[in-house]
Amino acid sequence: MKALVYHGPGKRSWEEKPKPTILKPTDAVVRVERTTICGTDLHILKGDVPEVTDGRILGHEGLGVVEEVGSAVSNFKKGDRVLISCITSDGKCDACKRGMYSHCADGGWILGHLIDGTQAEYVRIPHADNSLYAVPKGVDEDALVMLSDILPTGFEVGVLNGKVKPGDTVAIVGSGPIGLAALITAQLFSPAALIMVDLDDNRLEAAMKLGATSAVNSGDGKAAEKVKALTGGAGVDVAIEAVGIPATFDLCQEMVAAGGHVANVGVHGKSVLLKLEKLWAHNVTITTGLVDTYTTPMLLKSVTSNRIQPRKLITHEFKLGELMKAYDTFGDAAKEKALKVIIRRE
Amino acid sequence: MKALVYHGPGKRSWEEKPKPTILKPTDAVVRVERTTICGTDLHILKGDVPEVTDGRILGHEGLGVVEEVGSAVSNFKKGDRVLISCITSDGKCDACKRGMYSHCADGGWILGHLIDGTQAEYVRIPHADNSLYAVPKGVDEDALVMLSDILPTGFEVGVLNGKVKPGDTVAIVGSGPIGLAALITAQLFSPAALIMVDLDDNRLEAAMKLGATSAVNSGDGKAAEKVKALTGGAGVDVAIEAVGIPATFDLCQEMVAAGGHVANVGVHGKSVLLKLEKLWAHNVTITTGLVDTYTTPMLLKSVTSNRIQPRKLITHEFKLGELMKAYDTFGDAAKEKALKVIIRRE
Amino acid sequence: MKALVYHGPGKRSWEEKPKPTILKPTDAVVRVERTTICGTDLHILKGDVPEVTDGRILGHEGLGVVEEVGSAVSNFKKGDRVLISCITSDGKCDACKRGMYSHCADGGWILGHLIDGTQAEYVRIPHADNSLYAVPKGVDEDALVMLSDILPTGFEVGVLNGKVKPGDTVAIVGSGPIGLAALITAQLFSPAALIMVDLDDNRLEAAMKLGATSAVNSGDGKAAEKVKALTGGAGVDVAIEAVGIPATFDLCQEMVAAGGHVANVGVHGKSVLLKLEKLWAHNVTITTGLVDTYTTPMLLKSVTSNRIQPRKLITHEFKLGELMKAYDTFGDAAKEKALKVIIRRE
Amino acid sequence: MKALVYHGPGKRSWEEKPKPTILKPTDAVVRVERTTICGTDLHILKGDVPEVTDGRILGHEGLGVVEEVGSAVSNFKKGDRVLISCITSDGKCDACKRGMYSHCADGGWILGHLIDGTQAEYVRIPHADNSLYAVPKGVDEDALVMLSDILPTGFEVGVLNGKVKPGDTVAIVGSGPIGLAALITAQLFSPAALIMVDLDDNRLEAAMKLGATSAVNSGDGKAAEKVKALTGGAGVDVAIEAVGIPATFDLCQEMVAAGGHVANVGVHGKSVLLKLEKLWAHNVTITTGLVDTYTTPMLLKSVTSNRIQPRKLITHEFKLGELMKAYDTFGDAAKEKALKVIIRRE
């Protein structure tokens, strides 16, 4: 079969690889019908994720048709259409019993990372019963691919950790795909204000179309003040960090109100300075987290009932055979005005 | 001043009464600009609420302008526009400290019940600092009158007690003003399905316009089966009882799924049969409650930010001097297709 | 092997049965080292549980040594000492993903009910990875047998559903093994008062030794008044029903304070009258439930760290070959002053 | 009357001051029967709290007898014995309605800070109805003085913010009075392990007597490793910071397990380095907070029912006239082996 393969920093190719097979009784092999590219894939290509080794098939998002299942798989059978979760969960370790699938003793984020991934014609999914989800009939399958990773990430790590509630003022720092996924899913809780912060006016414009109530360009270094001004000086109830650098975390701690939440979603490479000399008396809560995908069943219902429309994140479409080109586009997102790309088998 | 006065079962009049004055340092006197009539007022007129005595001014909803405040009132001053809560709260008894204002040791539901109410040109509000809310500038004040009672009631006792969440299936039994208030506010949590149940097709039609996803007429005695069919046989995650008779409570316990919630909002005059022989193993939660109005600040933000539009509940408009006529209309709601009436000073 | 076998209402025998074998890759066979008898076993023997058919080996509690595992079992291996949960959980159905293992699509309470149970020399445990727990070294294994069923039942369905908190006043109606399990585990949350109610002074005496702060004999029909008097008239924050008849449920609704919880643990055969004419305005929460055993890992830690001593529930000891005699004793609990019996292999 | 007065950094005196009087209708004047000294008072004396001005009477903890009340005070009358909260709450601002009394618009921590405090023969208490608590009959009043500040602080900001649960492993970094208050109140939730960390072996010894399960001296720079070793390498479920310097915060972030909580109680003067490069994927929650004292009623019940014994924190006793000497002792706590001192009127 054909697959997108990593060959060390900066090197990727679309090449022939052996079709995966069942290795354990809990495995399934899925024929990939749709996949996409994540910002994390770009990090891997830069060499930022050293656990990914030469020869690895990338990709941790997708949707497909079950091709074959192991003897212990009972939720799915050949021919079932399934959504692939970015998180593999065995459903029986201590972490999984606590719902913390991201820390699964035999899973977590392994697809396109520690084992071969979804940017291929076929993919092996370990612990298939707990790591795949049945695709409801009649649902827009492009939209569902957004549920492999970014929607549950924005929702669980941003919106739910941040405890967004009706009436809240919420600021989301970072208007890329993850920030926008938080923006879309935050609306499930009907906050009074949703303020998006970014350096890129194109992305802010996209955010306004997706439901933001205000947009703040942080290019002038005054974003915290501007956000506070929008809240009558009090600061926001919830600040969601969706970038992953010290400056954006700092913005969040500057703009959060007493009693508020800072939900960190960004992947950080460095420590940040936490201003405890101010925050110690401020009754704030700061959370971090990897997505656990425990909300995937709920998000499926929200898409099916049209409460959220994640399709709106898709800006570009490609065929599976055009994956190299899709990477070029997604890799130059600002210029291409790309948010998420969808890649279909045919 | 003029006021709507109760004179025993079946008897009401629009008559001259003394203008109220400050009796305690925590009182305010409010000039009533808008008021409305509640189903409870009709119960009082039937003689169902014996604590209400001859000569009482009715009404526990309204909005107005502060006329005078006692020496210990600090949140408001003469001239402030205020929303009047149906619940009086002293903010300092055990119940109030727990947020259970409905059980306030020196308050609770007393307006138009144990003390004179809002269907008058002026009303005295005890514990004004905790029982009035500032009216935001530029907001539709007719809509805000719905926040005196029915919106917080539907929201707190129905939606929040029922723990409505994104993705849930919710059934509301009773499509009168309170059931519709639950319908409107349930949407703040974006449930996947909102099924309204009633005997009156007019009210079900109104419900569909207000956001219901299905309507079930219970006239054929098969409502529970029909609701279950709409949920693939599982039953609903949340059943909200908004009528107050044994038959409608029974419907709720029949249609709730394992692990689900029954939130009782209806005012009951009789015991109901709770089917513990079935429910004991069903992991259900049943709640009851009077409105505490602790969500009023949040609902004010939700109206101001246009997340909810309670004005849609208003079907008829009257002047304050037409209160007797407004009662005639509201008292014959089915025929008049009346939901809520708004009564304005001029 | 030898086993305790049900042969229709009133009939049980200790007889030879085939040793169980692995039927599915997720099964384990466990050599039973310790077991006990539950009140439910007595119900089965009376013929109250018609799903239990002639020839069924009884018992759903126990502890043993893994004899053999199926190919998909990874948490356990031959020789491991394991606690057997009364609830079988596949870890991958919708109910299990929500933590509601009692409603597992391929499990729930099946041991000694729909499949052969633990009152035997060996037992087959389906979905072993999610239905067995490793026995910590050096822990009193007699005590752990109480964690198969009654401790998680009293804790989850009584204490946690009832939301017992520090400072609360709690009444437990029913001082049998389940009520006492609720009493023991309620102390994990340090309530201010723990009032036990029962008809049997022996059991109330046992309760006082296990940490009750007051005991109320309900024989005079004045238990609700007496409990209320103990709370200064307010009623209790939490009332736990641990009997399963209308009279005891009624006691609970009579004694619960405004804003309080009634947690039903008892197995009911009849409907009860719910006094909504009083409770509608009382802000109460009523819960029902089967045990899910999701707290078993936590209870294991609480026993290991000596925060709870469930051994105190054990009043009688038997050898496995004396199971018929153990039933005689447990079946005449009042006369024998029996709470829980422990039955050891030898 | 006599009072302990601050006269700028390093200067305090026991001197004559005018007896306070009622200034507002919501005030009470309390005759101080018992008071104590807080670490914060030492900070003030060092000059670390510039808002405290020359001439201020210090002290924010105490218990006394109501001498006089304003016209709007209804919960208390002359002669009532009352516990004085360190936090003044008006019960009617936005913060108070949310239970965040520490941020009260007309209160918060003001006693012995922005207004005269409790280290005097009499003290004026603003918003008396919400800032005083009735002393239950027959309770050890020395013990209750610990409920003015340190018990609710340790409990709310440490234990509740940290979400301590039965079965948890908890580490408390800092074994001074606040850390020990967290230790005492954490036991209300029966965690499996309570590990105390400090540099001072005397304080660790005191901690072991108060219920710690392990003590770790951090003098060798290996505290995080030692704590992790005590948890089998996983780290703790809850780490409570009760010192207030970067090194101790760092210890907490090093020792917290994935999915765990860091509850900051310490008063910090500097920023700390938050290791987001590690924690971003670790699902941790970090909280900060000033005490709100919303748990004071519950703690009163817990003392009255003997679930907690805060008297054990008292190491030294003084008369009110010996306040200067009490400061000397408390100011040299390590040498004097002082935890809390109690100062009685007679």
Side-chain angles (χ1 to χ4, degrees):
Chain A
M1 68 167 189
K2 288 287 188 180
L4 193 292
V5 182
Y6 172 72
H7 287 299
K11 296 179 201 154
R12 57 177 153 85
S13 72
W14 178 247
E15 66 187 52
E16 194 66 25
K17 290 280 273 184
K19 185 180 161 184
T21 56
I22 299 292
L23 300 182
K24 291 197 177 177
T26 44
D27 283 351
V29 170
V30 175
R31 186 183 125 109
V32 177
E33 293 291 320
R34 279 167 179 78
T35 187
T36 182
I37 307 172
C38 181
T40 305
D41 297 321
L42 301 183
H43 277 292
I44 293 171
L45 276 167
K46 277 196 212 152
D48 289 351
V49 189
E51 304 81 28
V52 182
T53 51
D54 188 346
R56 175 68 64 230
I57 300 174
L58 297 184
H60 51 268
E61 297 162 281
L63 179 152
V65 180
V66 173
E67 183 83 1
E68 191 187 354
V69 296
S71 63
V73 173
S74 62
N75 284 351
F76 304 101
K77 62 180 189 307
K78 183 174 162 65
D80 286 351
R81 295 189 80 81
V82 289
L83 171 69
I84 300 166
S85 176
C86 65
I87 296 294
T88 300
S89 159
D90 70 5
K92 60 190 187 184
C93 66
D94 288 349
C96 285
K97 285 181 182 175
R98 294 167 63 190
M100 200 163 68
Y101 306 151
S102 61
H103 287 68
C104 174
D106 191 39
W109 172 43
I110 56 174
L111 283 179
H113 179 207
L114 307 180
I115 65 171
D116 284 337
T118 58
Q119 292 169 2
E121 292 184 292
Y122 296 90
V123 61
R124 181 180 70 91
I125 303 295
H127 301 296
D129 276 335
N130 289 70
S131 310
L132 296 174
Y133 295 87
V135 170
K137 289 219 169 143
V139 175
D140 172 1
E141 296 192 347
D142 287 354
L144 286 197
V145 176
M146 306 299 111
L147 269 61
S148 284
D149 180 348
I150 61 164
L151 253 77
T153 296
F155 187 55
E156 296 176 8
V157 188
V159 175
L160 292 183
N161 278 2
K163 299 206 186 300
V164 173
K165 308 181 301 297
D168 274 359
T169 51
V170 178
I172 300 175
V173 179
S175 191
I178 288 288
L180 295 172
L183 171 64
I184 288 174
T185 54
Q187 294 170 67
L188 290 168
F189 291 108
S190 311
L194 270 165
I195 306 164
M196 294 299 293
V197 180
D198 203 287
L199 288 162
D200 180 339
D201 282 330
N202 284 325
R203 292 195 150 182
L204 290 172
E205 195 183 325
M208 290 304 288
K209 287 179 187 156
L210 286 166
T213 58
S214 310
V216 169
N217 190 306
S218 52
D220 60 1
K222 295 184 180 167
E225 293 147 67
K226 288 195 259 179
V227 169
K228 282 187 137 172
L230 285 167
T231 62
V236 293
D237 298 306
V238 185
I240 297 178
E241 204 284 348
V243 178
I245 59 172
T248 47
F249 181 85
D250 192 55
L251 260 184
C252 290
Q253 67 179 326
E254 285 294 329
M255 64 174 60
V256 69
H261 290 78
V262 173
N264 186 79
V265 189
V267 177
H268 289 258
K270 291 183 190 168
S271 293
V272 302
L273 216 51
L274 179 65
K275 294 172 177 164
L276 274 188
E277 74 278 17
K278 170 190 162 196
L279 295 178
W280 77 267
H282 217 54
N283 295 36
V284 298
T285 301
I286 300 164
T287 52
T288 73
L290 255 178
V291 65
D292 290 312
T293 68
Y294 66 92
T295 62
T296 305
M298 186 277 269
L299 290 169
L300 278 165
K301 292 178 195 168
S302 296
V303 173
T304 307
S305 62
N306 208 31
R307 293 285 181 194
I308 50 175
Q309 291 97 23
R311 157 171 281 284
K312 293 181 180 170
L313 292 171
I314 300 172
T315 53
H316 294 74
E317 310 188 0
F318 297 92
K319 294 180 184 170
L320 194 50
E322 300 171 322
L323 243 166
M324 293 294 282
K325 193 174 142 199
Y327 262 91
D328 293 340
T329 299
F330 188 69
D332 201 3
K335 187 184 142 224
E336 302 282 350
K337 299 193 184 179
L339 293 172
K340 288 293 279 187
V341 301
I342 187 80
I343 296 147
R344 300 193 200 94
R345 192 171 191 99
E346 188 57 7
Chain B
M1 69 167 187
K2 290 286 188 182
L4 193 292
V5 182
Y6 172 72
H7 288 298
K11 296 180 199 150
R12 55 176 153 86
S13 71
W14 178 247
E15 66 187 53
E16 194 66 25
K17 291 279 274 185
K19 185 179 161 185
T21 55
I22 299 292
L23 301 182
K24 290 196 177 177
T26 45
D27 285 351
V29 170
V30 175
R31 185 181 126 109
V32 177
E33 293 292 321
R34 281 167 177 78
T35 186
T36 182
I37 309 173
C38 180
T40 305
D41 296 321
L42 301 183
H43 278 292
I44 293 170
L45 276 167
K46 278 195 208 152
D48 288 352
V49 189
E51 302 83 28
V52 181
T53 52
D54 187 346
R56 176 68 61 231
I57 300 175
L58 297 184
H60 51 268
E61 297 161 281
L63 180 150
V65 179
V66 174
E67 183 81 2
E68 190 186 355
V69 295
S71 63
V73 173
S74 61
N75 285 349
F76 304 102
K77 62 180 187 307
K78 182 173 164 66
D80 285 349
R81 296 190 79 81
V82 289
L83 172 68
I84 300 166
S85 177
C86 65
I87 296 294
T88 299
S89 159
D90 70 5
K92 60 190 187 184
C93 66
D94 288 349
C96 286
K97 284 182 182 175
R98 295 166 62 190
M100 199 162 70
Y101 307 151
S102 60
H103 287 68
C104 174
D106 190 39
W109 172 43
I110 56 174
L111 282 178
H113 179 207
L114 307 180
I115 65 171
D116 284 338
T118 58
Q119 293 169 1
E121 292 184 293
Y122 295 90
V123 61
R124 181 181 68 93
I125 303 295
H127 301 296
D129 276 334
N130 289 72
S131 310
L132 296 173
Y133 295 88
V135 170
K137 290 220 169 141
V139 174
D140 171 2
E141 295 193 347
D142 288 354
L144 285 198
V145 177
M146 305 300 113
L147 269 60
S148 283
D149 180 348
I150 62 165
L151 253 78
T153 296
F155 187 56
E156 295 176 10
V157 190
V159 175
L160 291 183
N161 278 0
K163 298 204 187 302
V164 173
K165 308 182 300 297
D168 274 0
T169 52
V170 178
I172 300 174
V173 179
S175 192
I178 287 289
L180 295 173
L183 171 64
I184 288 173
T185 53
Q187 294 169 66
L188 289 168
F189 292 109
S190 311
L194 270 165
I195 307 165
M196 293 299 292
V197 180
D198 203 287
L199 287 163
D200 180 339
D201 281 330
N202 284 327
R203 293 195 149 184
L204 290 173
E205 196 183 323
M208 292 302 289
K209 285 179 189 157
L210 287 166
T213 60
S214 310
V216 169
N217 189 307
S218 52
D220 61 2
K222 295 184 179 166
E225 294 148 62
K226 287 195 260 181
V227 169
K228 281 186 139 175
L230 286 168
T231 62
V236 293
D237 297 307
V238 185
I240 297 177
E241 206 282 348
V243 179
I245 59 173
T248 47
F249 182 85
D250 193 55
L251 260 184
C252 289
Q253 67 178 324
E254 285 293 330
M255 65 174 59
V256 69
H261 291 78
V262 174
N264 186 81
V265 189
V267 177
H268 289 258
K270 292 182 191 167
S271 293
V272 303
L273 216 52
L274 180 65
K275 294 174 177 164
L276 273 188
E277 73 278 17
K278 171 190 162 195
L279 295 179
W280 77 268
H282 217 54
N283 295 36
V284 298
T285 301
I286 300 164
T287 51
T288 72
L290 257 177
V291 65
D292 291 311
T293 66
Y294 66 92
T295 62
T296 304
M298 187 278 271
L299 290 168
L300 278 165
K301 292 178 195 169
S302 295
V303 172
T304 307
S305 62
N306 208 32
R307 293 287 180 192
I308 51 177
Q309 291 97 24
R311 157 169 281 284
K312 294 181 179 171
L313 292 170
I314 300 172
T315 53
H316 294 72
E317 310 190 358
F318 297 93
K319 294 180 184 170
L320 195 50
E322 301 171 322
L323 243 167
M324 292 296 282
K325 192 173 144 200
Y327 262 92
D328 293 339
T329 300
F330 188 67
D332 202 3
K335 186 183 145 227
E336 301 282 350
K337 299 193 184 179
L339 293 173
K340 287 295 278 187
V341 302
I342 186 81
I343 295 147
R344 298 194 201 94
R345 193 170 190 101
E346 187 56 11
Chain C
M1 69 168 188
K2 290 287 189 180
L4 194 290
V5 181
Y6 172 71
H7 287 299
K11 295 180 199 152
R12 57 177 152 86
S13 72
W14 178 247
E15 65 187 53
E16 193 67 25
K17 290 280 273 184
K19 185 179 162 185
T21 55
I22 299 292
L23 300 181
K24 291 196 176 178
T26 45
D27 285 351
V29 170
V30 176
R31 185 182 127 110
V32 177
E33 292 292 320
R34 280 168 178 79
T35 187
T36 183
I37 308 173
C38 180
T40 305
D41 296 322
L42 301 183
H43 278 291
I44 292 171
L45 276 167
K46 276 195 209 154
D48 289 351
V49 189
E51 303 81 30
V52 182
T53 52
D54 187 346
R56 175 67 62 229
I57 300 174
L58 297 183
H60 50 267
E61 297 161 281
L63 180 150
V65 180
V66 174
E67 182 82 1
E68 192 186 353
V69 296
S71 63
V73 173
S74 62
N75 285 349
F76 304 102
K77 61 179 191 306
K78 183 174 162 65
D80 286 350
R81 296 190 81 82
V82 289
L83 172 68
I84 300 166
S85 176
C86 66
I87 296 293
T88 300
S89 158
D90 71 5
K92 61 191 187 183
C93 65
D94 288 350
C96 285
K97 284 181 183 176
R98 295 167 62 190
M100 201 163 68
Y101 306 151
S102 61
H103 287 67
C104 174
D106 191 40
W109 172 43
I110 56 174
L111 283 179
H113 178 208
L114 307 179
I115 67 171
D116 284 337
T118 58
Q119 292 169 2
E121 292 184 294
Y122 296 90
V123 61
R124 180 181 70 91
I125 303 295
H127 301 297
D129 276 334
N130 289 73
S131 310
L132 296 173
Y133 295 87
V135 169
K137 290 222 168 140
V139 175
D140 170 3
E141 295 193 348
D142 288 353
L144 285 198
V145 175
M146 305 299 112
L147 268 61
S148 284
D149 179 349
I150 61 165
L151 253 76
T153 297
F155 186 56
E156 295 176 10
V157 188
V159 175
L160 291 183
N161 279 1
K163 298 206 188 299
V164 173
K165 307 180 302 298
D168 274 359
T169 52
V170 178
I172 300 174
V173 179
S175 192
I178 287 289
L180 295 173
L183 171 65
I184 288 174
T185 54
Q187 294 169 67
L188 290 167
F189 291 109
S190 310
L194 270 164
I195 306 165
M196 293 300 292
V197 181
D198 204 286
L199 288 162
D200 180 338
D201 281 332
N202 283 325
R203 292 195 151 184
L204 289 173
E205 195 184 324
M208 292 302 290
K209 286 179 188 157
L210 287 166
T213 59
S214 310
V216 169
N217 189 307
S218 52
D220 60 2
K222 296 184 181 166
E225 294 147 66
K226 288 195 259 181
V227 169
K228 281 185 138 176
L230 286 168
T231 61
V236 292
D237 297 306
V238 185
I240 296 178
E241 205 283 350
V243 179
I245 60 173
T248 46
F249 181 85
D250 193 55
L251 260 183
C252 290
Q253 67 179 325
E254 285 294 331
M255 65 175 60
V256 69
H261 290 78
V262 173
N264 186 79
V265 189
V267 177
H268 289 258
K270 293 182 189 167
S271 292
V272 302
L273 216 52
L274 180 65
K275 294 173 175 163
L276 275 187
E277 72 278 17
K278 170 190 163 197
L279 295 178
W280 78 268
H282 217 53
N283 295 35
V284 298
T285 301
I286 301 164
T287 52
T288 73
L290 256 176
V291 65
D292 290 311
T293 66
Y294 66 92
T295 62
T296 304
M298 187 277 271
L299 290 168
L300 278 165
K301 290 178 197 169
S302 295
V303 173
T304 307
S305 61
N306 207 33
R307 293 284 182 193
I308 51 176
Q309 291 97 23
R311 156 170 282 285
K312 293 180 180 171
L313 292 171
I314 300 172
T315 53
H316 294 73
E317 310 190 359
F318 297 93
K319 295 179 185 172
L320 195 51
E322 299 171 324
L323 243 167
M324 293 295 282
K325 192 174 144 200
Y327 262 92
D328 294 339
T329 298
F330 188 68
D332 201 3
K335 187 183 143 223
E336 301 283 350
K337 300 192 184 180
L339 293 173
K340 287 294 279 187
V341 302
I342 187 81
I343 296 148
R344 298 192 202 97
R345 193 172 191 102
E346 183 51 6
Chain D
M1 69 169 187
K2 289 286 188 181
L4 193 292
V5 181
Y6 172 71
H7 288 299
K11 296 180 200 152
R12 56 177 153 86
S13 71
W14 178 245
E15 66 187 50
E16 194 66 26
K17 291 280 272 183
K19 186 179 162 186
T21 55
I22 299 292
L23 301 181
K24 292 196 177 179
T26 45
D27 284 350
V29 170
V30 176
R31 185 183 128 109
V32 177
E33 293 292 319
R34 280 166 179 78
T35 186
T36 182
I37 308 172
C38 180
T40 306
D41 296 323
L42 302 183
H43 278 292
I44 293 171
L45 276 167
K46 276 194 211 153
D48 289 351
V49 189
E51 303 83 29
V52 182
T53 51
D54 187 346
R56 176 68 62 231
I57 300 175
L58 297 184
H60 50 268
E61 297 161 281
L63 180 150
V65 179
V66 173
E67 183 81 1
E68 189 186 356
V69 296
S71 63
V73 172
S74 62
N75 285 349
F76 304 102
K77 61 178 192 305
K78 183 172 162 68
D80 287 350
R81 295 190 80 80
V82 289
L83 173 68
I84 300 166
S85 177
C86 65
I87 295 294
T88 300
S89 159
D90 70 7
K92 60 190 186 183
C93 66
D94 288 349
C96 285
K97 285 182 182 175
R98 296 166 63 189
M100 200 162 69
Y101 307 151
S102 61
H103 287 66
C104 175
D106 190 40
W109 172 44
I110 56 175
L111 282 179
H113 178 207
L114 307 180
I115 66 171
D116 284 338
T118 58
Q119 293 168 2
E121 291 183 294
Y122 296 89
V123 61
R124 181 181 68 92
I125 304 294
H127 300 296
D129 276 335
N130 289 72
S131 310
L132 296 173
Y133 295 87
V135 169
K137 290 219 167 142
V139 175
D140 171 1
E141 296 193 347
D142 288 353
L144 286 197
V145 176
M146 306 299 113
L147 269 61
S148 284
D149 179 349
I150 61 165
L151 253 76
T153 297
F155 187 55
E156 296 176 10
V157 189
V159 175
L160 291 183
N161 278 1
K163 298 205 187 300
V164 173
K165 306 181 303 298
D168 273 359
T169 52
V170 178
I172 300 174
V173 179
S175 192
I178 288 288
L180 295 173
L183 172 65
I184 288 173
T185 53
Q187 293 170 67
L188 291 168
F189 292 108
S190 310
L194 270 164
I195 307 165
M196 293 300 292
V197 181
D198 204 286
L199 286 163
D200 179 339
D201 281 329
N202 284 327
R203 292 194 150 184
L204 290 173
E205 195 183 327
M208 291 304 289
K209 285 179 189 156
L210 287 166
T213 59
S214 309
V216 169
N217 190 307
S218 52
D220 59 3
K222 295 184 180 166
E225 292 147 66
K226 287 195 257 179
V227 169
K228 281 185 138 175
L230 286 168
T231 62
V236 293
D237 297 307
V238 185
I240 296 177
E241 205 282 350
V243 179
I245 59 172
T248 47
F249 182 85
D250 193 56
L251 260 183
C252 290
Q253 68 178 328
E254 285 294 329
M255 64 175 59
V256 68
H261 291 76
V262 173
N264 186 79
V265 189
V267 178
H268 289 259
K270 292 183 191 168
S271 293
V272 303
L273 216 51
L274 179 65
K275 295 174 176 162
L276 274 188
E277 72 279 16
K278 171 190 163 195
L279 295 178
W280 77 269
H282 217 53
N283 295 35
V284 299
T285 302
I286 300 163
T287 52
T288 72
L290 255 177
V291 65
D292 291 311
T293 67
Y294 65 92
T295 63
T296 304
M298 187 277 272
L299 290 168
L300 278 165
K301 292 178 195 168
S302 296
V303 172
T304 307
S305 61
N306 208 32
R307 294 284 182 193
I308 51 176
Q309 290 96 25
R311 157 170 282 285
K312 293 181 179 170
L313 292 171
I314 301 172
T315 53
H316 294 73
E317 310 189 359
F318 297 92
K319 294 181 185 170
L320 195 49
E322 300 171 323
L323 243 166
M324 293 295 282
K325 191 173 144 201
Y327 262 92
D328 293 339
T329 299
F330 187 68
D332 202 3
K335 187 184 144 225
E336 301 282 349
K337 298 192 184 181
L339 294 173
K340 287 294 278 187
V341 301
I342 187 82
I343 296 147
R344 300 194 200 95
R345 194 173 190 96
E346 187 64 6

